[in-house]
Amino acid sequence: MNLLCYVQKFHRDLPETTVFAYGISKEAATVPGPTIEALQGVPTHITWENYLPKSHILPWDATVPTAISKHGGVPTVVHLHAGVHPPKFDGSAFAWFTNKFNETGPAWTIPTYTYPNVQHAGNLWYHDHALGLTRVNLLAGLIGAYVIRNPAVESKLNLPSGSEFDQHLVVMDRSFRKDGSLCMNSTGDNPSIHPQWQPEYFGEAIVVNGKAWPFLKVQRQKYRFRIINASNARYFNFSLSNGLKFTHVGSDCSYLSKPVTTESFIMAPSEIADVIIDFSTSLTNEAVLLNNASYPYPTGDPVNNLNSKVMKFEISPNKPTKPDNSLIPKTLVNYQAATIKGASKTRYIVMYEYLSSTGLPTHLYINGKRLEDPATETPKSGSTEIWEVINLTADNHPLHLHLATFQAIKISELENIDEFKACMSKKNDAVACNVADHATGKLAIIPDYEKTWKNSVKIMPGYQTTVVVKFNLVENGAPYPFDATAEPGYVYHCHILDHEDNAMIRPLKLVK
């Protein structure tokens, strides 16, 4: 698979836009990149080759920890989000490489990655993961969908299928200049500290499958949409204008145990929602997919007229061309239950934002440490752990662990939070600061459509979220069929990309 500089037209009223794109050739390059389909248990081999230019098309900031080429070229590396694979195929932030492998990062080994696809069938996506450049490389277009299929499971469920009735919707926000070029603010919120870096990127236009505010013609029957939030920082609260509902069958890479019907639902950056929309029940011939999530989420600005609309479904007034024989079954897939029982260890993970004298963010850390600091999260391969994740910022953070699958089981409000913060600023130890005595407030509700094994979990501000983390195969609890303890290890991080780059990311090193 090639990584190329390419031009793409995002809207009929915009000139062409220069982007970075995935594709097997320059003619076939697209944003998002080609959807890769794999079979459960059958390995996929991909050679990633960089043909990006000497210079980036977007402003980047060398004052955050960044992969920098000494001889020119855009560093990149590919991470299969939600993939279960050996460390050398994980797309380490330090495994970057430039055009034709002229330069490589310290963790780079080989150009061909092997994805064993040993996990259960489900939805994944692939994207850039280069150190300090993830936000600009994804914004430039390095994004694509990946699916692991199990025909036996899919035929049994009999959900909508086929290229017309089973589709990806890769949703992201972007801003464009009048000349069509991507627009990203080149001045940081603390320019004397970070000349370019800002805490979040929000675009005015909502882009779906490479088109700004598109429409899709649909028949009056059930459709399955695998929705990927590929935005840098924007949360979405989706609803439909004509009262149609969503039936959730999966979240991230896992099925739910049974379908869940909602009128709206919230997606954080990197999350995947697997939903059914039944257009046969529509009383109108169109439906607009809407968004009303504030930005930053949950306490930021309200959406405006531009980013409150996502896309339009144009619904045929006629009967389907063929009978719709698909079903929404009463039950879906049951995996091992998420339980504290049998967990080998409890860890405390604290998210904190650091401010300048002007009160604006300078950087974000997890447990007060950088990515470059030695790993403190060293779970045993094959184990299950409890992570108590404490959010002391004003933002909701999507926590993503590489390799592992996990599930929130309890969300407790922190009481006397200022007292707890004051203690943490001195001791930086949640146990020493008696977090158990603070996480005693009201419990937040975990939506039913998120009650499965996930790859990103929303961490609410001012709350402690109890997360069951499995470092083994979810279907049967078996150990990974490869050495997960090898170098260069894995990472975990916030998936707001501007946070991840500066520097809400930590090493995750499994041990035997």
Side-chain angles (χ1 to χ4, degrees), residues 229-304:
N229 182 356
S231 303
N232 281 34
R234 185 179 292 277
Y235 282 61
F236 290 99
N237 187 14
F238 289 124
S239 62
L240 288 162
S241 63
N242 66 348
L244 286 176
K245 296 181 180 181
F246 307 95
T247 299
H248 300 252
V249 296
S251 183
D252 289 349
C253 67
S254 303
Y255 283 100
L256 296 168
S257 60
K258 60 182 179 180
V260 175
T261 299
T262 65
E263 293 182 352
S264 65
F265 65 98
I266 297 171
M267 287 189 72
S270 83
E271 283 191 301
I272 303 176
D274 198 337
V275 301
I276 309 295
I277 301 176
D278 188 352
F279 294 104
S280 69
T281 64
S282 177
L283 300 178
T284 63
N285 290 337
E286 68 174 40
V288 178
L289 183 61
L290 301 172
N291 163 50
N292 72 350
S294 56
Y295 60 104
Y297 185 78
T299 57
D301 296 329
V303 295
N304 57 39

Side-chain angles (χ1 to χ4, degrees), residues 221-232:
Q221 62 182 78
K222 293 185 288 295
Y223 280 71
R224 180 179 186 177
F225 294 110
R226 304 166 191 254
I227 307 173
I228 302 173
N229 182 356
S231 303
N232 281 34

Side-chain angles (χ1 to χ4, degrees), residues 8-14 16 31-32 170-174 176 205-215 309-311:
Q8 180 161 317
K9 198 169 179 65
F10 284 87
H11 191 276
R12 63 175 181 267
D13 297 334
L14 275 176
E16 290 182 327
V31 176
V170 182
V171 185
M172 60 192 90
D173 57 337
R174 298 289 186 270
F176 302 92
I206 306 301
V207 175
V208 183
N209 292 355
K211 295 294 182 182
W213 304 295
F215 66 89
K309 296 179 177 65
V310 179
M311 65 176 294

